[in-house]
Amino acid sequence: LERMISCDLVAAHESGAPIVQVAGTLTSTCERLVEQQSRIAESLAGPRMARRILVWLPVAAVPLTLLMGFDVFGVLFGSLIGWVLLGMSGVLSLVATLWSKSLIRKAEHMAPAPGLYARLMGVGIDAGLGWSAADANCLRALAATETLDLLDADEVERASVARLEMVHSGIPLRGVLGALESAAVDEAFLASSIRVRELGEKLLLPLGACTLPAFMCVGIFPALISVISNTVRDFG
């Protein structure tokens, strides 16, 4: 947000646009972004808790099997196969942790500055600049604040298409730019919300592929080996 704010202020200063008006628009945009990011963070509370459970599930396998009377420690630390099972469980648990973290990180990702181009163009238009001059002013502000990486090429294309359509229809361009900015923010939030809703199902992948096998490596398999070893010893 700090980089986005500095870019808007530089664009306003370079173009001579009213700072008060620019600040009002920018404040409204920042409030919407913060509110939407807060909603996404709240929605991720459940998946984050699920990830913690995934991490600790294999660890809980050992005390559970010990309480059931199986000599799990003897198998895991007293035999080669036990050390192999421990190693496999550790690797699988690490993969599950990294995998689930990656899924959550992708789900919570949101475009850093949605609607930036339309808003900067609006600043230039408000200052009385033509489209080409407003575009040049936008690029100068982005370069001066080192925020060119925040520029979305799709937003630039949409704004250019909208401008051509507005020229023929006679609709005020400033209002269209404001609508494009609002739509970009809503679109970014909607995409993040969809990813968050899909996250619950996606977390089942590391659970089934890694966490449950890790649980079996330190819980189920050592218990079975312990039973078989005791049975063979008794019959022997």
Side-chain angles (χ1 to χ4, degrees):
L1 287 179
E2 291 180 0
R3 299 172 66 200
M4 185 182 71
I5 291 172
S6 64
C7 184
D8 279 60
L9 294 178
V10 169
H13 175 74
E14 292 292 329
S15 64
I19 294 295
V20 174
Q21 183 176 345
V22 172
T25 303
L26 186 57
T27 299
S28 176
T29 300
C30 289
E31 287 176 350
R32 290 184 63 197
L33 289 174
V34 170
E35 180 184 358
Q36 292 175 353
Q37 288 171 350
S38 298
R39 290 180 182 178
I40 292 173
E42 291 175 2
S43 301
L44 284 171
R48 289 185 189 278
M49 179 59 68
R51 189 193 68 79
R52 296 189 185 97
I53 294 174
L54 292 180
V55 171
W56 289 102
L57 187 59
V59 178
V62 175
L64 286 175
T65 49
L66 285 173
L67 290 174
M68 296 172 65
F70 298 106
D71 184 19
V72 177
F73 274 147
V75 174
L76 291 175
F77 299 102
S79 63
L80 177 60
I81 191 171
W83 286 105
V84 172
L85 289 172
L86 276 173
M88 291 176 60
S89 178
V91 171
L92 288 170
S93 296
L94 178 61
V95 172
T97 299
L98 297 177
W99 191 351
S100 58
K101 280 185 176 181
S102 176
L103 290 174
I104 292 176
R105 186 165 55 250
K106 290 178 180 178
E108 68 181 351
H109 174 72
M110 186 171 157
L116 177 63
Y117 182 76
R119 191 172 62 257
L120 292 179
M121 290 297 293
V123 170
I125 298 298
D126 287 338
L129 302 180
W131 183 268
S132 298
D135 180 69
N137 181 69
C138 169
L139 295 178
R140 283 197 302 271
L142 291 168
T145 55
E146 298 182 351
T147 52
L148 279 170
D149 58 303
L150 300 181
L151 188 62
D152 190 330
D154 290 337
E155 291 184 12
V156 177
E157 179 65 23
R158 291 176 192 172
S160 299
V161 172
R163 179 226 177 185
L164 293 177
E165 293 177 352
M166 294 312 103
V167 168
H168 298 293
S169 64
I171 299 176
L173 185 58
R174 184 63 184 91
V176 175
L177 289 171
L180 287 175
E181 179 198 358
S182 180
V185 175
D186 291 340
E187 182 180 329
F189 175 63
L190 178 60
S192 297
S193 299
I194 292 174
R195 288 195 297 269
V196 170
R197 286 197 294 269
E198 294 174 344
L199 182 60
E201 289 76 17
K202 289 183 178 181
L203 284 176
L204 294 176
L205 295 174
L207 172 64
C210 300
T211 303
L212 291 181
F215 179 89
M216 296 179 68
C217 284
V218 294
I220 306 301
F221 293 154
L224 291 175
I225 294 173
S226 174
V227 171
I228 293 173
S229 299
N230 291 335
T231 301
V232 171
R233 189 183 308 113
D234 292 339
F235 279 99

